[in-house]
Amino acid sequence: MSSGIEYYEDRFRRVYLEHFEPLLAYALRRVAHPEDGADVVAETFLVAWRRRHDIPADDEARLWLYGVARRVLANHHRGGVRRQRLGERLREQIAAAVAADPGSEVPERLAVRAALAGLGELDREVLMLTVWEGLQPREVAAVLGVGPAVVRTRLSRARARLREMVGDDLGPPGHVLDVLTAATRKEQR
């Protein structure tokens, strides 16, 4: 019996270590304050711990965690209140793990953020999951609970709308506005 418990605890540790940073990045891009992002990740892993027997195998665990994080974020935004603060130890780990983004105050980046805020929730989420999280359309579909065809259509529309709002002047290569033209990984069929 104890070997079964140890299996799930070890598996949870591996899932945590592998997915903590990508989930933190996902959350930080969707909240106004870094502390809120930390709270979202903490609550996501609390749900994962409580449901550790339900965590899918292999790469499906990542998609499952994104789905959990998305629901935690929805609760966070809907409630309008801050999530319970993490302990000092977790905050120190996050501060050490996350490097400051030197371009966070660049006017172009702010323009992209404002334009993203002008998109509908589903379009924005499809675009961000595809470009920033590097998910394929079928993976985005699994996270959002919609079909891959819906994701492809939404992604195309979201990019076109974002381009309308921000303009076509993309600046030099590697420019922050590459979100409009970033190639997505080829989906394996």
Side-chain angles (χ1 to χ4, degrees), residues 127 131 158-159 162-163 166-168 170 176-182:
L127 187 64
V131 177
R159 280 186 168 155
L162 194 64
R163 193 173 287 116
V166 175
D168 287 327
L170 299 179
V176 73
L177 297 182
D178 284 349
V179 71
L180 300 175
T181 59

Side-chain angles (χ1 to χ4, degrees), residues 10-80:
D10 288 344
R11 185 157 178 276
F12 176 83
R13 282 187 194 97
R14 287 190 307 273
V15 167
Y16 178 88
L17 290 173
E18 183 175 346
H19 301 293
F20 175 82
E21 288 187 22
L23 277 175
L24 179 60
Y26 171 87
L28 289 173
R29 286 190 278 264
R30 287 162 176 80
V31 296
H33 304 286
E35 304 85 21
D36 293 339
D39 291 344
V40 167
V41 172
E43 191 168 336
T44 298
F45 278 108
L46 177 61
V47 170
W49 174 254
R50 289 180 179 157
R51 297 186 55 203
R52 61 190 174 273
H53 300 289
D54 299 331
I55 298 174
D58 303 318
D59 198 38
E60 297 301 315
R62 176 176 60 129
L63 304 179
W64 185 84
L65 286 168
Y66 277 130
V68 171
R70 184 170 185 270
R71 288 184 289 282
V72 169
L73 278 163
N75 288 339
H76 171 79
H77 292 302
R78 193 172 32 250

Side-chain angles (χ1 to χ4, degrees), residues 126-127 150-163:
V126 164
L127 187 64
V150 171
V151 170
R152 287 183 192 93
T153 300
R154 293 279 186 163
L155 179 60
S156 176
R157 288 180 190 164
R159 280 186 168 155
R161 181 121 188 273
L162 194 64
R163 193 173 287 116

